[in-house]
Amino acid sequence: MSLATAHESADDSPGLLLWQVTNRWQAAQRAALKPFDITHVQFVLLATLTYLQASGPVTQKALAGMAATDPMMTSQVLRTLESRGLVHRPPHPTDRRARAVAVTEAGRDLANRAVIAVEACDAAFFAGLGDNLPVFLTALRSLRQTEQG
């Protein structure tokens, strides 16, 4: 008995292809980040926080929203980054009930060193797209905006 799929071939399944490519890309990113002793999700949150912080105080909710990460997982990862001295949680300047999340100097330094490796990894990984890269980016942005039910 075969799989009751609408696809003639596994290569016709966008979900499977995305899964396969994502796993290969994540493996490449893990390898690129290994010398920095940081996981990919730690890097994403640290880099996103460094970027957002340039415009003012950042809440954990805003960070999770921009990084598209689960709020509970974001909290756990931030605790790890805080234990390593890469982020800290100062009082929020305009909301007495909230605490901001901020990168330390060590965190900003690590984010700025690691982003070079991450972007080089991306450039190598996506080089095969050649002149199709802008079309691919447009398609990714479109998928990112799609609401999930």
Side-chain angles (χ1 to χ4, degrees), residues 14-98:
L16 179 59
L17 288 169
L18 180 61
W19 172 261
Q20 292 169 334
V21 171
T22 298
N23 280 322
R24 287 182 176 100
W25 174 77
Q26 287 177 338
Q29 288 295 339
R30 278 192 300 274
L33 288 166
K34 189 172 183 160
F36 301 97
D37 192 29
I38 191 168
T39 67
H40 194 218
V41 70
Q42 289 171 346
F43 167 76
V44 168
L45 290 173
L46 192 61
T48 301
L49 181 56
T50 301
Y51 172 79
L52 289 174
Q53 189 176 302
S55 300
V58 180
T59 63
Q60 186 173 306
K61 182 178 179 182
L63 176 60
M66 178 69 166
T69 52
D70 175 76
M72 187 65 107
M73 187 263 302
T74 299
S75 179
Q76 293 169 346
V77 173
L78 286 174
R79 278 196 295 276
T80 299
L81 293 173
E82 189 173 21
S83 74
R84 293 184 57 191
L86 301 172
V87 303
H88 64 112
R89 298 172 191 251
H92 195 283
T94 59
D95 183 349
R96 290 180 183 220
R97 299 166 299 147

Side-chain angles (χ1 to χ4, degrees), residues 67-138:
T69 52
D70 175 76
M72 187 65 107
M73 187 263 302
T74 299
S75 179
Q76 293 169 346
V77 173
L78 286 174
R79 278 196 295 276
T80 299
L81 293 173
E82 189 173 21
S83 74
R84 293 184 57 191
L86 301 172
V87 303
H88 64 112
R89 298 172 191 251
H92 195 283
T94 59
D95 183 349
R96 290 180 183 220
R97 299 166 299 147
R99 294 191 80 67
V101 183
V103 293
T104 62
E105 190 174 326
R108 185 174 18 265
D109 177 61
L110 179 58
N112 281 304
R113 286 185 293 118
V115 75
I116 294 166
V118 165
E119 289 179 352
C121 179
D122 279 350
F125 188 87
F126 295 109
L129 291 173
D131 293 341
N132 291 321
L133 182 59
V135 174
F136 181 71
L137 291 173
T138 299

